Amino acid sequence: MSFRQAKWSEPLIFERSKPGKIGFTLPEPTEEEKKIAGNVAEAIPKSLLRENLVELPEVSEVEVVRHYIRLSQQNYGVDLGVYPLGSCTMKYTPKITDVIVNNHKLRDLHPYQDEEFAQGILQILYELSNYFAEILGMDKVSLQPSAGAHGEYVGVMIIRAYHALNKELDKRTDIIVPDSAHGTNPANTTMAGFKTVVVPSAEDGTVDLKALKAIAGEHTAGFMLTNPNTLGVFERNVAEIAEIIHNAGGLVYYDGANLNAILGKARPGDMGFDIAHINTHKTFSTPHGGGGPGAGPVGVKKELEKFLPVPTVEYNGEKYYLDYNKPYSIGKVRGFYGNIAVLVRGYAYLLLMGAEGLERVAELSVLNANYVARKVLKAKGYTLPYKPENLRKHEAVVSAKQMMDETGVRALNVSKRLLDLGVHAPTNYFPLIVPEALMIEPTETESKESLDELINAFIKVSEEAYSNPKVVLDAPVNTTVDMVDDVKASHPKTMRLSWRMLKKHGETK
């Protein structure tokens, strides 16, 4: 197994700029066009006119093409190779969904277009929200939230609105989350004005029911749960968990990050959840990463419909329309009507797969995860905490602690060496309850051949760790960029997010 990424001495496109170079020239307007348009500059308010020309790079067309081709050769994506990014479902997306969403009938729509002339897209959104409601086992879905974490925030705000209407908000101060929860759960709890209360996991990785019973009470506003959880373990006591929270007067929220594992098999609404979000950009096409774009629709049970964000897409039997008339709504949570391009990809994906196809997604994602986990665990240094004999769902969290203790090679080093071998690194150090965690989620879209490639890479790293650990500790060496300084790469004082920032602050050292 060998892999080597292209290494180009590639400057920024702005650094390639030379005054006078032209990549493309717009045609001069005809006399007729000038006559119709008039003096365009005079039509623009002076306050909106630029005083200086916009700072665009002056480069030729071929320089632009070569620049971006070289950058793409230095990149790694789900279209290039296996991508076992746990809990993020970075699965291959059928290209037909990109083709569909790029159709001019969708691309050229404007959010201010009159409803009369936007019946097609409103029909798509209406049908999509109904499909999602069916998949979730909920009664009504809002497509507005922009991402999974945004959907969580909307869900917690609905919990807040529910208790406020019941005049119990003063005493309902706590949102319970498991110690295996995604970090966005406590973050959104805090943003919504609640206190996060953590419940520990039991020996098998599920919620400790005894501890939950001790925590739940009159202060409980809600409980946020991912199922299967971030360990890849299905919460088999989920019905009892919901009963405990409901009896305490709280609501139960489903974090849909791992919905891919149960598509067509189980529905959050049937498990006792009151609110659920979908990571559309993960489960239903459009791989995410790097900040978007995404979409995080939120579904609720009947009694919570009135709290959903406005507008919702409705149908009166004759036409589709946007309904803003919801006096108990938590309000508007996003500009316009949601991230339409991502949602349409999800709609196309659903029509392509059908009910049987979605069920097959869950089966194959679970099969692939357990195939990889069993093979990887045969290599020295990897263990599977929390009852390894139990099957995992779509992901498995392997620990490299034994390897670290015996060789000095940590989970981070394993991941960096995997990059050298042409495999994208899995999620590291999450969930926090697993020491030296490597969260492996192969998804259903990988073939047996690519799964074996992934397994062989893990085995090879183990062999190297025990025979010549320096090879692993020095990784990566085959990638465009070597080991980066984690702190400088993410610290606000050293990050350079734009050309303007680079010009102002210079390069980081």
Side-chain angles (χ1 to χ4, degrees):
M1 181 184 295
S2 62
F3 174 83
R4 188 169 292 280
Q5 236 171 11
K7 287 192 177 183
W8 298 98
S9 179
E10 190 61 28
L12 298 176
I13 190 73
F14 289 91
E15 294 172 311
R16 285 197 173 278
S17 179
K18 292 280 178 63
K21 282 195 176 183
I22 297 173
F24 181 74
T25 304
L26 292 169
E28 287 292 326
T30 64
E31 290 302 320
E32 184 180 1
E33 288 168 339
K34 289 179 182 176
K35 185 178 178 181
I36 295 172
N39 190 329
V40 177
E42 288 183 358
I44 300 173
K46 286 186 178 179
S47 60
L48 298 180
L49 286 173
R50 282 185 175 277
E51 296 180 356
N52 301 302
L53 289 175
V54 62
E55 290 187 65
L56 294 175
E58 297 180 68
V59 286
S60 67
E61 179 178 314
V62 67
E63 287 173 318
V64 172
V65 171
R66 287 174 178 171
H67 174 73
Y68 286 105
I69 290 294
R70 284 171 173 165
L71 291 184
S72 71
Q73 291 174 332
Q74 297 179 147
N75 199 8
Y76 189 98
V78 73
D79 287 353
L80 183 64
V82 61
Y83 213 114
L85 199 62
S87 236
C88 279
T89 316
M90 292 293 286
K91 60 185 182 181
Y92 178 81
T93 297
K95 296 306 171 199
I96 187 66
T97 60
D98 288 333
V99 173
I100 290 171
V101 83
N102 202 33
N103 185 292
H104 75 94
K105 293 181 181 178
L106 289 165
R107 191 183 60 222
D108 297 340
L109 284 168
H110 194 281
Y112 282 138
Q113 215 160 313
D114 191 283
E115 286 176 8
E116 293 292 331
F117 305 107
Q119 286 293 295
I121 187 64
L122 291 178
Q123 180 180 353
I124 287 174
L125 298 178
Y126 179 79
E127 292 180 357
L128 180 62
S129 64
N130 287 340
Y131 291 155
F132 283 157
E134 177 63 26
I135 289 168
L136 289 172
M138 295 291 165
D139 293 304
K140 186 71 177 177
V141 167
S142 165
L143 301 174
Q144 280 218 14
S146 300
H150 194 197
E152 287 178 31
Y153 178 71
V154 168
V156 179
M157 289 302 291
I158 289 174
I159 293 175
R160 186 179 181 84
Y162 170 81
H163 291 305
L165 187 63
N166 292 336
K167 303 188 185 310
E168 288 195 331
L169 189 57
D170 288 343
K171 75 170 185 178
R172 300 281 174 188
T173 55
D174 301 348
I175 297 281
I176 303 172
V177 302
D179 57 6
S180 63
H182 293 102
T184 46
N185 289 181
N188 281 306
T189 293
T190 303
M191 286 175 63
F194 290 106
K195 182 176 75 176
T196 302
V197 176
V198 178
V199 61
S201 297
E203 287 184 357
D204 63 355
T206 60
V207 171
D208 186 326
L209 289 181
K210 188 176 178 183
L212 181 62
K213 289 175 182 173
I215 291 172
E218 62 178 349
H219 297 301
T220 301
F223 183 52
M224 302 180 79
L225 181 65
T226 310
N227 197 22
N229 63 29
T230 60
L231 294 166
V233 177
F234 188 85
E235 298 279 356
R236 66 182 187 283
N237 299 315
V238 63
E240 189 174 353
I241 291 171
E243 186 178 358
I244 292 169
I245 300 301
H246 287 153
N247 288 342
L251 297 174
V252 190
Y253 180 88
Y254 180 80
D255 179 336
N258 294 343
L259 183 66
N260 204 54
I262 60 170
L263 281 176
K265 298 291 184 183
R267 306 191 307 172
D270 298 337
M271 299 178 199
F273 289 92
D274 305 292
I275 311 168
H277 88 261
I278 287 175
N279 287 58
T280 310
H281 49 289
K282 306 202 285 193
T283 312
F284 301 102
S285 204
T286 313
H288 75 316
V298 171
V300 296
K301 289 292 191 181
K302 188 76 178 174
E303 62 271 23
L304 301 175
E305 279 187 30
K306 55 181 172 287
F307 302 118
L308 284 174
V310 288
T312 54
V313 185
E314 307 292 351
Y315 180 60
N316 62 13
E318 294 183 357
K319 70 172 188 176
Y320 299 91
Y321 63 99
L322 297 167
D323 186 5
Y324 288 86
N325 186 23
K326 293 183 177 295
Y328 294 103
S329 167
I330 64 168
K332 197 162 176 52
V333 298
R334 189 190 189 285
F336 301 112
Y337 321 116
N339 199 339
I340 301 299
V342 174
L343 293 169
V344 172
R345 282 188 180 88
Y347 180 77
Y349 179 79
L350 281 171
L351 295 184
L352 284 166
M353 299 297 288
E356 291 183 1
L358 294 181
E359 197 172 356
R360 192 71 172 146
V361 164
E363 292 169 354
L364 288 175
S365 66
V366 172
L367 176 64
N368 287 357
N370 285 280
Y371 176 74
V372 172
R374 296 301 147 196
K375 294 278 188 178
V376 168
L377 289 177
K378 290 181 179 177
K380 199 173 179 182
Y382 301 120
T383 60
L384 186 65
Y386 295 99
K387 300 258 182 183
E389 66 274 19
N390 291 346
L391 284 177
R392 292 329 194 230
K393 291 303 172 185
H394 67 300
E395 66 188 7
V397 183
V398 170
S399 170
K401 186 176 185 306
Q402 181 186 330
M403 186 181 294
M404 181 187 73
D405 293 341
E406 295 174 348
T407 69
V409 169
R410 304 190 61 188
L412 176 67
N413 306 122
V414 173
S415 288
K416 296 302 181 186
R417 185 58 180 154
L418 289 174
L419 301 178
D420 278 342
L421 301 176
V423 172
H424 193 280
T427 296
N428 277 198
Y429 302 114
F430 178 77
L432 300 178
I433 56 176
V434 175
E436 298 299 317
L438 292 160
M439 181 187 281
I440 305 168
E441 183 188 9
T443 79
E444 77 284 357
T445 56
E446 297 295 341
S447 66
K448 182 177 180 300
E449 289 74 18
S450 61
L451 294 179
D452 287 336
E453 180 185 347
L454 172 64
I455 292 163
N456 291 335
F458 271 99
I459 294 173
K460 183 175 177 60
V461 175
S462 167
E463 292 170 349
E464 290 175 339
Y466 282 91
S467 62
N468 185 8
K470 190 172 185 305
V471 172
V472 186
L473 294 171
D474 288 345
V477 295
N478 292 342
T479 53
T480 303
V481 178
D482 299 335
M483 179 83 84
V484 298
D485 185 315
D486 291 8
V487 175
K488 285 186 176 178
S490 58
H491 197 285
K493 289 187 176 179
T494 50
M495 289 173 72
R496 302 288 182 266
L497 299 177
S498 70
W499 168 244
R500 290 185 180 85
M501 290 178 70
L502 184 67
K503 283 208 302 182
K504 184 176 180 180
H505 301 290
E507 294 186 14
T508 59
K509 301 295 183 187

